[in-house]
Amino acid sequence: MPVTGDVKAVDASQPGDSQVQVYAVAPRDGATPNEVVDGFLESMTSDDSDFRTTRKYLTQEASNGWNPSALTTVLAKAPNRSDRPVHESDRSTTEVSYTLSGEKVATVDEQSAYQPLAPTDYSRTLHLVRQKGPDGKEWRIDIVPDGLVLGQSDFKRLYRSVNKFYFATGRSEAESTLVADPVYIRNRTDPVTGMDTVTQAVRSLLRGPTDWLRPVVTSRFPAGTGLRKDVTSLTPDDRNVLKVPLNKKADGAGQRSCRMMASQLLFTLRDLTSARVEQVELQRSDGSPLCVLGSDQAEEYAPDGSSGGSESQYFVDAKRHVQRIPGSTKGSGEPEPVAGPFGTGAARLSAVGVARDEQLAAALSEHGDALYVASVTADGQLPPPAVTSRAGSSKDRLTAPSWDGRGDLWVADRDPDRPRLLRLAGGAGKPQEVTVPSLDGSRIEALRLSSDGVRIALLLTSEGHTTLKIGRIERQGPQDKQRVSVVDLRQAAPQLADVTAMSWSGGSRLVVVGKEQGGVQQVRYVQADGSTPSSGVLPGVNQVLAIAAADDEQLPLMADTQGDGIVKLLPGDNWQTVLKEGSALVYPG
């Protein structure tokens, strides 16, 4: 501790170590209204159990009615309050109001779902009254909005992002795959429930998916399943086995369903504990084992691409043919032409998308007016185009194609006279037009499908700006007559005024290239819910045209640049040149 030097004011919302804890302090005797408001705002940033100390700034009636769990409002900085000094001489004053203001950037609802917002003005009122206290008259808040109001730095210190997992609907049990549903829970102990981080995550998982993802996923936990009463702490034992006591709703679950329930838990907890949970034991309400599942056994339900995904990369070489860089965690294998018409044929190509099983690929013609689908493992002739565009300019024709985890091929035609989003089931047959009701006149510039097949990332241009949005893919009807639509588009990178490239990088994360308003180009990670991880900004690289990432986060990030060719970024390293000549590099998908 310094013992000399000037005394300086310190903002309570300074960015800092996430392990720093803020302890709530009760209002002092004779506290002024300014001190009461400031103390209340600072106390909200603490880990105060059930906000007991925080409630001391409120009247008894206001404390009984205040629900801190209703909504968390995230501001760019800690909230400002209007300055309404009340002096001790103003004894006739019995009430005073303050305005809390700031720039609102996000909310977290009662489901723990994060919702990013375009920066908007925030304004709420706190009303104080002078009431009789143990030592005379004291100021207390009697009108207070529900929920918490936090600056971004405090929010990042107090909360952490967690992926909980549910099964994609519309797939057979043999094809069941898990889908990540990101939520925010409290670091350490939740002040309201008293639950530790692991227990909060399990409780959130049992409560079901967030509203946005709910139409396309399902949980194997029977409706109403919860933790046994009074469970506030779940800790793996010395063998890394986690025992989870459930209520009566789960008592009758069969072994197959129970194993699927346990797999949801194992993947949800994968990044939560310092020691990886190797086994989950689900218990009935009487404490007897319902089923036991090891982490290796859960791999059969792994999110598509998260277990044993391809390490190969594909790109278009200087001769406009497709080449493959064989699997290598360092991305440094020797390129080789793919088999079939894309590797050695006469066609000149501009972009490629490879199916996740690496048997088929889709490639765009040099001028983007035709899309071909062919094998990359067997020889053959170039087939007729699967999709064509009639647009006059190449920039108005087809986007680079993308494959989802179900084996379907997606592409968009940017023709101003006939814009379309198209899907080819299994990469073959007649293209089906996919409806996107919430486009609102925006044009699709690029698309990437998530490996689970239930989300699509779209670059949309409107009024001279290109933004990144995530849409939910809904399917109706039998497989051969399925109607598909992309609905409920939401912002994924609202802090960027223009996004020029993007790629999925794991179950609920994307890597994007873009600019903030008036800023320079940057490469950063964003979550699928629109939040930005603390370590989101990546080392800079010049003039990025395209970006490629794998579902396996240990594989290198690849970028197509204007001056340095194709470059790669390994975890903890700097960008390095892989190929001076070549473009449109992609991972399968």
Side-chain angles (χ1 to χ4, degrees), residues 272-584:
L272 260 186
T273 54
S274 54
R276 179 171 171 176
V277 176
E278 295 294 341
Q279 193 176 76
V280 161
E281 177 184 305
L282 298 185
Q283 297 179 338
R284 296 184 179 90
S285 56
D286 62 3
S288 62
L290 185 61
C291 70
V292 176
L293 189 73
S295 57
D296 292 341
Q297 297 169 299
E299 290 299 321
E300 70 172 293
Y301 305 113
D304 284 340
S306 72
S307 178
S310 171
E311 297 177 353
S312 299
Q313 300 117 14
Y314 297 79
F315 69 97
V316 177
D317 64 18
K319 295 181 180 179
R320 294 293 178 182
H321 293 149
V322 177
Q323 292 205 30
R324 170 178 174 264
I325 302 176
S328 166
T329 55
K330 296 186 181 297
S332 55
E334 192 65 33
E336 59 188 25
V338 299
F342 295 157
T344 55
R348 291 173 59 84
L349 309 170
S350 60
V352 64
V354 180
R356 294 177 187 271
D357 63 6
E358 298 185 72
Q359 299 299 304
L360 293 175
L364 283 186
S365 60
E366 184 175 15
H367 301 294
D369 56 346
L371 178 73
Y372 303 95
V373 181
S375 171
V376 288
T377 59
D379 292 335
Q381 299 296 315
L382 186 71
V387 179
T388 57
S389 173
R390 297 195 294 262
S393 172
S394 58
K395 65 180 177 61
D396 291 332
R397 294 172 184 161
L398 303 176
T399 65
S402 181
W403 298 76
D404 65 24
R406 302 175 184 232
D408 295 345
L409 173 63
W410 297 65
V411 68
D413 186 357
R414 297 171 289 186
D415 185 346
D417 297 328
R418 195 190 175 197
R420 300 173 294 161
L421 175 61
L422 302 171
R423 164 184 166 267
L424 284 77
K430 183 180 179 181
Q432 176 196 27
E433 188 162 345
V434 177
T435 59
V436 192
S438 50
L439 271 181
D440 294 329
S442 299
R443 184 173 94 154
I444 299 174
E445 294 292 341
L447 57 89
R448 281 288 179 268
L449 275 296
S450 64
S451 59
D452 49 56
V454 302
R455 290 166 299 177
I456 183 172
L458 299 171
L459 290 189
L460 301 177
T461 297
S462 177
E463 298 178 355
H465 292 284
T466 302
T467 56
L468 172 63
K469 291 191 176 182
I470 307 292
R472 186 176 66 245
I473 300 172
E474 295 188 356
R475 295 171 165 85
Q476 295 178 327
Q479 185 67 31
D480 56 340
K481 296 181 180 178
Q482 209 168 59
R483 298 188 305 278
V484 183
S485 58
V486 173
V487 299
D488 212 355
L489 295 178
R490 63 179 183 181
Q491 288 277 4
Q495 67 276 19
L496 298 178
D498 278 289
V499 179
T500 53
M502 52 78 188
S503 173
W504 287 94
S505 178
S508 67
R509 188 177 72 164
L510 300 98
V511 60
V512 299
V513 181
K515 297 179 181 181
E516 294 182 351
Q517 190 72 41
V520 298
Q521 189 184 75
Q522 55 183 279
V523 183
R524 69 194 314 174
Y525 286 118
V526 298
Q527 296 290 101
D529 60 6
S531 63
T532 303
S534 300
S535 56
V537 179
L538 294 164
V541 60
N542 295 326
Q543 296 179 300
V544 176
L545 303 175
I547 198 87
D551 291 314
D552 182 349
E553 296 175 11
Q554 296 305 308
L555 293 176
L557 192 62
M558 311 292 282
D560 182 5
T561 67
Q562 192 163 334
D564 298 319
I566 293 174
V567 297
K568 68 177 180 182
L569 178 68
L570 287 164
D573 205 348
N574 290 316
W575 292 97
Q576 299 174 6
T577 298
V578 177
L579 296 165
K580 289 298 291 182
E581 292 186 339
S583 63

Side-chain angles (χ1 to χ4, degrees), residues 128-329:
L128 283 73
V129 296
R130 188 176 245 164
Q131 64 176 19
K132 187 175 181 180
D135 301 313
K137 295 288 187 178
E138 61 184 13
W139 286 101
R140 292 294 181 265
I141 302 168
D142 73 329
I143 298 178
V144 57
D146 278 337
L148 303 179
V149 184
L150 303 172
Q152 268 188 320
S153 58
D154 282 320
F155 176 74
K156 290 180 179 180
R157 174 176 59 82
L158 291 168
Y159 290 81
R160 65 176 297 175
S161 180
V162 172
N163 286 327
K164 51 183 187 172
F165 285 86
Y166 300 94
F167 288 97
T169 57
R171 304 182 80 162
S172 68
E173 196 162 285
E175 297 175 325
S176 295
T177 185
L178 289 165
V179 180
D181 186 14
V183 292
Y184 272 85
I185 61 176
R186 292 282 294 214
N187 270 319
R188 299 183 292 272
T189 302
D190 178 37
V192 177
T193 63
M195 292 180 174
D196 62 21
T197 306
V198 170
T199 314
Q200 291 176 62
V202 174
R203 175 175 175 259
S204 182
L205 172 68
L206 297 178
R207 286 185 160 190
T210 57
D211 287 342
W212 189 85
L213 197 62
R214 189 183 303 276
V216 291
V217 296
T218 185
S219 177
R220 281 292 169 164
F221 289 93
T225 300
L227 289 168
R228 213 160 58 213
K229 196 174 181 180
D230 300 328
V231 174
T232 59
S233 179
L234 294 171
T235 307
D237 63 19
D238 54 5
R239 296 180 296 116
N240 290 331
V241 177
L242 184 72
K243 296 180 180 180
V244 182
L246 301 174
N247 63 14
K248 289 184 178 181
K249 294 290 186 180
D251 282 356
Q255 282 299 296
R256 176 72 173 174
S257 290
C258 184
R259 288 168 61 86
M260 296 177 78
M261 288 153 56
S263 70
Q264 289 180 248
L265 272 168
L266 278 165
F267 279 99
T268 298
L269 301 176
R270 177 162 283 187
D271 299 323
L272 260 186
T273 54
S274 54
R276 179 171 171 176
V277 176
E278 295 294 341
Q279 193 176 76
V280 161
E281 177 184 305
L282 298 185
Q283 297 179 338
R284 296 184 179 90
S285 56
D286 62 3
S288 62
L290 185 61
C291 70
V292 176
L293 189 73
S295 57
D296 292 341
Q297 297 169 299
E299 290 299 321
E300 70 172 293
Y301 305 113
D304 284 340
S306 72
S307 178
S310 171
E311 297 177 353
S312 299
Q313 300 117 14
Y314 297 79
F315 69 97
V316 177
D317 64 18
K319 295 181 180 179
R320 294 293 178 182
H321 293 149
V322 177
Q323 292 205 30
R324 170 178 174 264
I325 302 176
S328 166
T329 55

